[in-house]
Amino acid sequence: MTAHAELERRYRRWLWCYPGWFRREHEAEFLGVLLVGAREGQRRPEPRECLDLLVGGLSMVLRSRVARSDRAAVLALRLMYLGAVVELATVLAVLASMGEVRSATLAGDPGYTAAQWHAEVTHGLDPIVVGGAVAVGLWLWLAWANGRGQRWARVVFVLFFALNTCSLATGIGDDSAVYARVDLAAGITLWLVQLAAVICVVRQRSTVPGSGRTSPGKS
């Protein structure tokens, strides 16, 4: 295989980072530009080129299709991404507060053993950390789907908010969902962000199937 043919094959692989519609319409042109700019005898893309192709493809895949004129939808997306950041901060807060939790537990029960603490972490804190990590992914996934105009994403997000509300309320009532004041503050902040996002989600316009028109969301 010649150097030119091998380089072209490798470029085509990296172009799979881009959406199918983009490849169908612009692959030949895009590939031609890449090959023209290649060095003589070059057989593989440069690391910088690979990074540029990856970033460009992902940004195109993740790009929102929400009209900028729909302020509620735009704000909803921003709040969803903010929610993912706050969710991640909550997980980090739980991890950072483990020392405080252990000190408070030992102060209240001098007979508390290392084995009991390990069991507490395994059955109490670890599920919160794992659940928080999953929730970060859920925030990002729903933001992406909502940005693509998927109506089901709006319904799922409202259900997600209802589940978090019940979880927070139950945890506060049972004194089990939070282990330190910083965790409680992070949980309430997350709930407020999600509440604001839900309000925006139900107020945003939705595209009517089969037409280019939009209709206001119903609460």
Side-chain angles (χ1 to χ4, degrees):
M1 181 180 294
T2 64
H4 183 276
E6 183 175 354
L7 180 61
E8 180 179 347
R9 180 174 61 85
R10 293 180 183 274
Y11 274 138
R12 287 186 185 277
R13 288 181 179 177
W14 280 100
L15 287 177
W16 276 95
C17 296
Y18 288 78
W21 64 266
F22 178 85
R23 295 197 307 273
R24 287 190 297 271
E25 297 179 11
H26 304 290
E27 183 178 38
E29 178 184 357
F30 206 70
L31 190 59
V33 172
L34 291 171
L35 290 172
V36 167
R39 294 179 287 101
E40 182 69 27
Q42 183 178 343
R43 287 183 171 272
R44 62 183 66 237
E46 299 289 344
R48 181 180 57 81
E49 292 178 314
C50 296
L51 181 60
D52 289 342
L53 290 171
L54 179 61
V55 172
L58 290 178
S59 64
M60 189 167 291
V61 170
L62 297 176
R63 183 180 301 169
S64 170
R65 295 180 181 175
V66 172
R68 293 188 177 181
S69 59
D70 190 351
R71 295 183 179 180
V74 173
L75 182 56
L77 288 181
R78 292 177 179 176
L79 288 170
M80 287 181 185
Y81 285 120
L82 176 61
V85 173
V86 176
E87 188 79 61
L88 179 60
T90 302
V91 174
L92 296 178
V94 171
L95 293 174
S97 65
M98 283 188 176
E100 178 186 342
V101 174
R102 184 174 185 180
S103 298
T105 303
L106 290 175
D109 184 5
Y112 199 76
T113 65
Q116 288 175 309
W117 169 250
H118 178 74
E120 178 72 17
V121 171
T122 301
H123 299 293
L125 293 176
D126 281 356
I128 291 180
V129 173
V130 173
V134 172
V136 170
L138 187 57
W139 275 96
L140 295 175
W141 176 55
L142 290 176
W144 174 82
N146 199 65
R148 310 293 282 188
Q150 302 292 338
R151 291 186 177 183
W152 60 263
R154 300 166 63 179
V155 177
V156 173
F157 187 76
V158 173
L159 294 176
F160 181 38
F161 169 71
L163 179 62
N164 279 350
T165 300
C166 292
S167 177
L168 181 63
T170 301
I172 293 176
D174 295 342
D175 201 23
S176 60
V178 292
Y179 292 84
R181 284 175 294 181
V182 65
D183 305 336
L184 176 60
I188 292 176
T189 300
L190 181 64
W191 183 85
L192 291 174
V193 171
Q194 195 169 25
L195 173 62
V198 165
I199 294 173
C200 293
V201 162
V202 298
R203 295 184 60 185
Q204 73 183 64
R205 297 196 299 267
S206 57
T207 301
V208 179
S211 71
R213 296 174 301 171
T214 57
S215 60
K218 297 179 180 180
S219 55

